[in-house]
Amino acid sequence: MSGKRGKLIVISGPSGCGKGTVIKKLAETTPFWLSVSDTTREIRAGETAGVNYNYLSNDEFMSKVNDGLMLEHASYSGRAGKITYYGTPKPPVLSRLEAGENVLLEIEVQGASQIKKALPEAVLIFIMPPSMEELEARLRGRGTEKPEDIKTRLETAKTEIALADSFDYTVVNDEVETCAERIKKIIEGDI
Ligand code: 5GP
């Protein structure tokens, strides 16, 4: 096939910054395939295996890494300090890009920089919360993490925000619609 390759868009930002909501809004106006990541964390209430994530054991995850089946992978603070792994399965992403589809990855910052190294044409977008206070309020309001895990996620957020400069674009999520609109323009190559 000699068609145009799809664009690889990577969206990162601290846990609770509203990435999920912004991506849903973006999907209303912009065509892309949202990659389904592998994770070793427990499934949350309201999530569906194969839709939100593929839920793997540590051994299953590591054997995929060793077999070269992950485009990137990273560890992230899990429940009660337990190390949790997240990774992007390689074959579906590469085949969709090859078929001309835009592919969107919603991953944390370590993974985003691995993607940029492996595929420099990837467009990295960092979603910035309006403030740390707002981020904390959103994490608490979501009610999916225990108080001690929220503390860890806020600490991680500070490290992540410090790396925002290494992204191609930073978009502040003060208003979901405006944020999604800016990302749409970035994808379309308008900015
Ligand atoms: P959560 O546990 O809240 O679903 O996700 C925690 C963090 O892991 C979020 O910042 C999310 O973007 C990130 N994440 C999800 N999937 C992947 C992945 O495949 N690779 C990497 N590096 N991070 C991921």
Side-chain angles (χ1 to χ4, degrees):
M1 211 178 82
S2 60
K4 203 162 160 268
R5 257 175 88 83
K7 284 187 192 172
L8 180 58
I9 301 121
V10 180
I11 296 198
S12 291
S15 178
C17 74
K19 279 170 295 188
T21 318
V22 168
I23 290 170
K24 264 198 206 113
K25 186 48 85 193
L26 181 68
E28 291 173 11
T29 60
T30 310
F32 59 81
W33 179 71
L34 182 61
S35 163
V36 181
S37 296
D38 291 343
T39 183
T40 62
R41 88 147 155 70
E42 288 158 34
I43 188 162
R44 280 186 197 140
E47 290 184 339
T48 308
V51 175
N52 300 92
Y53 285 103
N54 305 306
Y55 301 89
L56 307 184
S57 67
N58 271 344
D59 286 352
E60 287 168 334
F61 189 96
M62 283 310 162
S63 82
K64 281 188 76 170
V65 171
N66 293 333
D67 290 345
L69 292 171
M70 296 284 196
L71 209 47
E72 60 76 33
H73 73 282
S75 60
Y76 189 81
S77 54
R79 298 226 159 145
K82 198 176 148 220
I83 299 256
T84 310
Y85 294 102
Y86 294 85
T88 305
K90 192 191 261 182
V93 171
L94 296 187
S95 63
R96 284 178 193 261
L97 289 173
E98 205 56 49
E101 250 182 286
N102 291 339
V103 173
L104 196 144
L105 310 182
E106 194 256 271
I107 62 178
E108 53 66 68
V109 291
Q110 309 165 62
S113 64
Q114 287 176 44
I115 293 285
K116 193 73 180 178
K117 280 194 196 107
L119 302 162
E121 72 277 16
V123 179
L124 267 51
I125 304 172
F126 190 88
I127 300 191
M128 188 71 89
S131 65
M132 283 307 283
E133 291 73 25
E134 179 64 25
L135 184 68
E136 183 166 355
R138 286 183 195 177
L139 272 175
R140 293 195 190 284
R142 185 161 92 171
T144 49
E145 275 86 20
K146 296 192 189 106
E148 61 269 30
D149 296 333
I150 290 181
K151 215 174 139 233
T152 317
R153 286 196 171 212
L154 285 171
E155 286 306 315
T156 308
K158 285 186 196 149
T159 326
E160 290 174 330
I161 289 170
L163 294 170
D165 276 357
S166 63
F167 279 64
D168 298 309
Y169 298 93
T170 299
V171 183
V172 178
N173 183 21
D174 40 13
E175 213 272 316
V176 174
E177 202 132 337
T178 323
C179 184
E181 189 58 32
R182 275 211 63 206
I183 295 175
K184 175 178 156 64
K185 292 213 171 99
I186 291 169
I187 295 173
E188 288 170 351
D190 286 355
I191 9 180

